[in-house]
Amino acid sequence: MSSSIETLVAARRSLKQSLEKSRALGSALERAGPRLDEIHQRLPSLEAAVRPIRAQKEALAAVGGHIDRAVGPAAAVLKVFDAVHGLEKSLLSDPRSDLWGYLSVLKRLEEALRFLSANCGLAIQWLEDILDYLEDNSVADDRYLSNLKKSLNSLKELQSDDELVRIDGGLLDAALDKLEIEFRRLLSENSVPLPMSSSPIAGDNDQQPCIAPSPLPGSVIQKLQLILERLTANNRLESCISIYVDVRSSNVKASLQPLELDYLDISLAEFNDVESIEDYIARWGKHLEFAVKHLFEAEFKLCGDVFEKMGADVSMGCFSKIAAQAGIIAFLQFGKTVTESKKDPIKLLKLLDIFASLNKLRLDFNRLFGGKACVEIQNTTRDLIKAVIEGACEIFWELLVQVELQRQTVPPPNGAVPRLVSFITDYCNRLLGDDYRPVLTQVLVIHRSWRQERFQERLLIDAILNIIKALELNLETWAKAYEDTTLSHLFLMNNHWHLFKHLKGTKLGELLGDAWLREHEQYKDYFSAIYMRDSWAKLPSLLSREGLILFSGGRATARDLVKKRLKAFNEAFDEMYMKQSNWFVPDRDLREKTCQSIVQTILPVYRSYMQNYGPLVEQDASASKYAKYTVQTLETMLGSLFQQKLVKYGSAKARHSNGKFNSVVTSQFCSAPTVM
């Protein structure tokens, strides 16, 4: 019985324990439910993680070596990337404070980028090798391999040149932009227009070329060279050249601004003839010389200094752009406009002035603008010189024809020296003078060489002599055109005296010779004598004393005779004076001498006649009719003859030559038909 109870108690105890374990297991199961869900969710990733363990033993053993080979280059690349980011603060600062330090840091950046450019490819190759191995041996999860492929493709894109900037996040470009800004600042702050006080615009023709010193300090040039070196290494040379040309050409323009060069832009339609811009042409030669010798010379030297390490082609290319933008083409185009203007003799002298200015600067032009970069300037210069030489030769050889064409015009109605005579003599003298003869000779030599012909000095001399001969023939023709032979004689007297007096002691006079000059002096005396004989010398005979010596016919008869002769004298005098009061003797000495001869021819006879016979009529009621003039009155009237008076002559008023070429004459030259 007792054993049964013990058995029952034991069973009860066991059942109770089982119940408690069931309760504990139920609680445990209840708590394990969420964990099982979590495990269920993590099973795919756990499976992927466990997969390499399931790979073949040989594949698992080899993967370690592949990983070690790839990690080395990749770690080096990452280390350089960290170094690049460490340079960012320095390179984003202003290089002005420490240019050398800035350039040093920039070099480090360039070296780092070169390393990255060279080694990123190697790292990518090793990573691709791992990728291929993992993929071939199923050592890694597919999603992992997919993400790794995307990363490798991104790295490959960064290797291309177009995307290189993304390696450093644009740091290199930002640093280069700052260097360009510093390059412009150094140029702008140290480029100062040349002060006009040191610019000898109107120096002597023999003045030696004044080469301006380098317009930039040596320390600035050194900095510019260092910046250029870095920017050129990063393919920014063209940007530097653009900045340099912009700043320096503006500086040259500012130096030229005080010269007031607006006239360079004058168009062909803005002036009627070369004479209207004669002052501009004179200024043009001086301004061009100043620009070449003081400004472009300095810019040429500075370009050579700044771009020394870039080579001569870069330096010359930069200089040619500065010269073109600063206005050298405008200078040359102005000369070309002059060559295209209306043709007249004045233009010949101006063309010779232009040629002389260009020839004076020939060596400078060849040195400064002789490179292939200055082709436009060279072509424009050659075109200008060709137009100048051809235009000058055409006008010179046509002068004879133009003088001959004037032969058909009418002579001055007052017997003065025609404007053509004074114009041509003055003109030929200038052509033979020291200023123009060497230039004209050189122009003729060049022009004939173009035509495969030789030039001889005699050609120039003969051309001038033929022009003077044609002018003499004009005078003979014009003299015959006067209806009044007395006026014709006065005309010839005036012109022969003009040729003698105005050519004696001149280059043209030396060419014509003393015999030629004396001949014209003698002609002057000859026609002066004929003029007196055929005009004023006839008047004294009207005051004849015949029949008055002894008053043989009585006082009344004598009075009538005196009245008659005084009346005839007065009428002849009035007629002659009225006619000749409009005549003109341009030369003052000749005019005074001619008037004095007339006075000496008439007044002594008139004075004596009035002293002896004047009383016979002075008491008469009509005395003033016969004793019309006093001796003093006649002397005053005769002394006022041949003064200049403005009269109509053709389409212009007659004017005495004042040493300048008359525009009326030159317009006649222009309007006359040509035979060239």
Side-chain angles (χ1 to χ4, degrees):
M1 186 68 177
S2 60
S3 62
S4 297
I5 293 173
E6 291 178 357
T7 301
L8 184 61
V9 171
R12 178 178 175 275
R13 187 183 302 115
S14 175
L15 183 62
K16 184 178 181 180
Q17 290 177 350
S18 296
L19 182 60
E20 289 177 354
K21 287 182 179 180
S22 295
R23 288 175 180 169
L25 181 61
S27 298
L29 288 173
E30 186 178 355
R31 291 194 301 270
R35 293 183 63 190
L36 288 174
D37 291 339
E38 182 180 352
I39 290 171
H40 179 73
Q41 292 176 358
R42 292 177 60 190
L43 277 177
S45 60
L46 290 173
E47 182 182 4
V50 172
R51 183 178 299 169
I53 301 175
R54 303 205 314 247
Q56 296 180 3
K57 182 178 180 181
E58 294 79 5
L60 288 174
V63 73
H66 286 279
I67 293 174
D68 290 339
R69 284 192 295 271
V71 167
V77 168
L78 290 174
K79 184 177 180 180
V80 173
F81 265 117
D82 291 338
V84 167
H85 289 299
L87 301 176
E88 184 173 352
K89 181 177 180 181
S90 298
L91 292 176
L92 293 180
S93 64
D94 191 344
R96 178 190 316 201
S97 56
D98 182 10
L99 180 61
W100 281 268
Y102 191 91
L103 293 174
S104 177
V105 175
L106 180 58
K107 282 186 178 181
R108 289 167 57 191
L109 174 62
E110 293 173 14
E111 292 171 358
L113 294 180
R114 283 194 296 270
F115 176 86
L116 291 175
S117 178
N119 289 277
C120 277
L122 180 61
I124 291 172
Q125 288 178 3
W126 286 113
L127 291 173
E128 284 181 330
D129 181 60
I130 291 179
L131 180 62
D132 292 340
Y133 185 86
L134 295 175
E135 196 170 26
D136 293 341
N137 293 277
S138 302
V139 175
D141 178 60
D142 291 340
R143 286 185 297 174
Y144 172 78
L145 293 176
S146 176
N147 292 333
L148 187 56
K149 285 182 180 180
K150 291 180 180 178
S151 299
L152 287 176
N153 288 333
S154 297
L155 288 175
K156 288 180 180 179
E157 291 178 1
L158 289 174
Q159 275 194 296
S160 66
D161 292 338
D162 293 339
E163 299 292 337
L164 190 58
V165 67
R166 293 167 59 182
I167 293 179
D168 66 339
L171 181 59
L172 178 62
D173 274 347
L176 296 177
D177 289 343
K178 285 185 173 293
L179 278 184
E180 286 187 5
I181 294 172
E182 178 64 7
F183 189 79
R184 180 181 289 275
R185 185 194 68 81
L186 285 170
L187 281 172
S188 300
E189 292 185 0
N190 292 278
S191 295
V192 181
L194 191 65
M196 295 310 297
S197 58
S198 62
S199 308
I201 300 299
D204 296 332
N205 291 333
D206 297 331
Q207 181 182 358
Q208 295 299 318
C210 177
I211 300 177
S214 175
L216 295 182
S219 60
V220 174
I221 293 177
Q222 185 181 9
K223 290 181 180 180
L224 293 174
Q225 289 176 334
L226 292 173
I227 295 175
L228 266 174
E229 185 178 357
R230 296 271 45 84
L231 291 174
T232 302
N234 289 278
N235 300 317
R236 293 213 183 187
L237 176 59
E238 288 302 320
S239 179
C240 291
I241 291 176
S242 178
I243 293 172
Y244 187 90
V245 170
D246 180 48
V247 174
R248 293 305 302 178
S249 61
S250 297
N251 190 67
V252 175
K253 289 179 182 178
S255 297
L256 291 172
Q257 189 172 6
L259 301 183
E260 299 179 355
L261 299 178
D262 292 344
Y263 68 87
L264 294 180
D265 298 325
I266 192 170
S267 66
L268 190 60
E270 290 182 81
F271 59 89
N272 297 323
D273 50 44
V274 174
E275 191 175 14
S276 64
I277 60 166
E278 190 171 357
D279 291 340
Y280 288 151
I281 297 174
R283 290 165 58 187
W284 174 86
K286 296 174 182 177
H287 291 166
L288 177 61
E289 181 178 1
F290 167 73
V292 171
K293 291 185 177 295
H294 292 263
L295 299 179
F296 294 127
E297 175 70 44
E299 293 304 320
F300 179 82
K301 183 178 183 302
L302 184 61
C303 281
D305 291 341
V306 173
F307 294 93
E308 179 181 8
K309 297 180 180 179
M310 305 297 110
D313 289 344
V314 174
S315 172
M316 283 300 300
C318 188
F319 170 70
S320 68
K321 292 177 182 178
I322 292 173
Q325 291 188 22
I328 187 65
I329 298 296
F331 273 105
L332 299 174
Q333 188 56 49
F334 174 82
K336 192 66 162 44
T337 302
V338 175
T339 67
E340 296 169 352
S341 63
K342 188 167 56 177
K343 183 173 59 178
D344 60 50
I346 298 284
K347 182 177 174 180
L348 171 57
L349 300 182
K350 298 302 105 183
L351 292 178
L352 295 179
D353 288 338
I354 291 174
F355 180 85
S357 296
L358 293 173
N359 191 54
K360 185 177 181 181
L361 298 172
R362 180 170 54 87
L363 296 179
D364 298 284
F365 262 74
N366 291 339
R367 180 169 49 84
L368 298 180
F369 310 114
K372 61 182 180 180
C374 299
V375 171
E376 181 185 5
I377 297 174
Q378 294 166 16
N379 291 338
T380 306
T381 304
R382 279 194 291 268
D383 291 344
L384 172 57
I385 293 175
K386 184 174 185 292
V388 167
I389 291 176
E390 290 181 343
C393 290
E394 181 182 7
I395 295 173
F396 177 73
W397 293 119
E398 193 178 327
L399 282 174
L400 175 61
V401 177
Q402 297 295 348
V403 171
E404 292 173 343
L405 288 172
Q406 298 303 306
R407 195 170 297 157
Q408 304 306 316
T409 61
V410 296
N414 57 4
V417 177
R419 288 184 289 276
L420 181 67
V421 174
S422 57
F423 175 88
I424 288 297
T425 52
D426 188 10
Y427 190 76
C428 290
N429 255 324
R430 295 185 70 177
L431 290 179
L432 292 171
D434 295 336
D435 290 337
Y436 285 110
R437 183 168 181 171
V439 182
L440 177 58
T441 300
Q442 187 175 1
V443 166
L444 295 175
V445 168
I446 295 173
H447 189 255
R448 290 184 73 86
S449 70
W450 291 347
R451 299 163 57 183
Q452 306 299 318
E453 298 175 353
R454 293 184 60 188
F455 174 80
Q456 296 178 347
E457 185 70 19
R458 190 68 202 176
L459 290 173
L460 173 60
I461 295 174
D462 287 345
I464 297 295
L465 291 177
N466 288 335
I467 290 173
I468 299 303
K469 289 178 182 178
L471 189 64
E472 290 180 297
L473 186 56
N474 283 13
L475 291 176
E476 295 176 9
T477 304
W478 287 334
K480 295 175 182 177
Y482 288 107
E483 295 181 1
D484 190 327
T485 57
T486 304
L487 180 56
S488 174
H489 296 150
L490 181 77
F491 170 80
L492 290 171
M493 176 192 75
N494 276 331
N495 284 275
H496 284 295
W497 178 247
H498 177 87
L499 293 176
F500 168 75
K501 183 176 181 180
H502 288 271
L503 296 185
K504 184 178 181 181
T506 66
K507 296 290 185 180
L508 181 56
E510 292 174 5
L511 178 64
L512 294 167
D514 291 338
W516 186 91
L517 292 172
R518 285 195 300 271
E519 181 180 1
H520 282 279
E521 184 182 24
Q522 292 168 0
Y523 274 131
K524 183 271 297 183
D525 293 337
Y526 171 75
F527 287 110
S528 177
I530 294 180
Y531 161 75
M532 290 296 300
R533 183 196 67 190
D534 293 346
S535 57
W536 299 102
K538 294 180 178 181
L539 295 186
S541 62
L542 298 177
L543 298 177
S544 172
R545 301 189 181 206
E546 184 179 353
L548 298 175
I549 301 301
L550 300 176
F551 299 102
S552 57
R555 187 176 182 85
T557 302
R559 181 184 299 109
D560 291 339
L561 194 57
V562 169
K563 287 182 179 181
K564 181 179 178 181
R565 291 175 179 174
L566 282 176
K567 181 180 179 181
F569 173 85
N570 290 337
E571 289 176 352
F573 177 86
D574 288 344
E575 180 184 359
M576 195 170 298
Y577 181 83
M578 181 176 296
K579 179 174 62 175
Q580 297 194 21
S581 62
N582 290 322
W583 295 0
F584 179 40
V585 178
D587 185 80
R588 188 178 66 177
D589 293 338
L590 181 60
R591 181 170 63 247
E592 292 177 353
K593 184 177 181 181
T594 302
C595 289
Q596 188 63 31
S597 296
I598 296 173
V599 168
Q600 292 175 356
T601 298
I602 295 176
L603 254 60
V605 175
Y606 186 78
R607 180 185 293 108
S608 175
Y609 195 84
M610 293 303 293
Q611 287 175 350
N612 291 321
Y613 307 111
L616 291 175
V617 298
E618 287 174 355
Q619 302 301 322
D620 194 283
S622 58
S624 60
K625 181 179 178 181
Y626 303 104
K628 186 176 180 179
Y629 299 108
T630 65
V631 173
Q632 184 62 39
T633 300
L634 284 181
E635 185 174 9
T636 300
M637 292 176 66
L638 294 175
S640 65
L641 282 172
F642 313 123
Q643 299 289 335
Q644 183 178 15
K645 296 179 179 64
L646 295 179
V647 296
K648 290 289 184 180
Y649 173 36
S651 61
K653 293 183 178 180
R655 288 175 290 178
H656 176 48
S657 173
N658 59 1
K660 291 186 177 181
F661 295 148
N662 194 289
S663 60
V664 176
V665 176
T666 58
S667 66
Q668 290 175 347
F669 267 62
C670 298
S671 60
T674 62
V675 296
M676 300 295 284

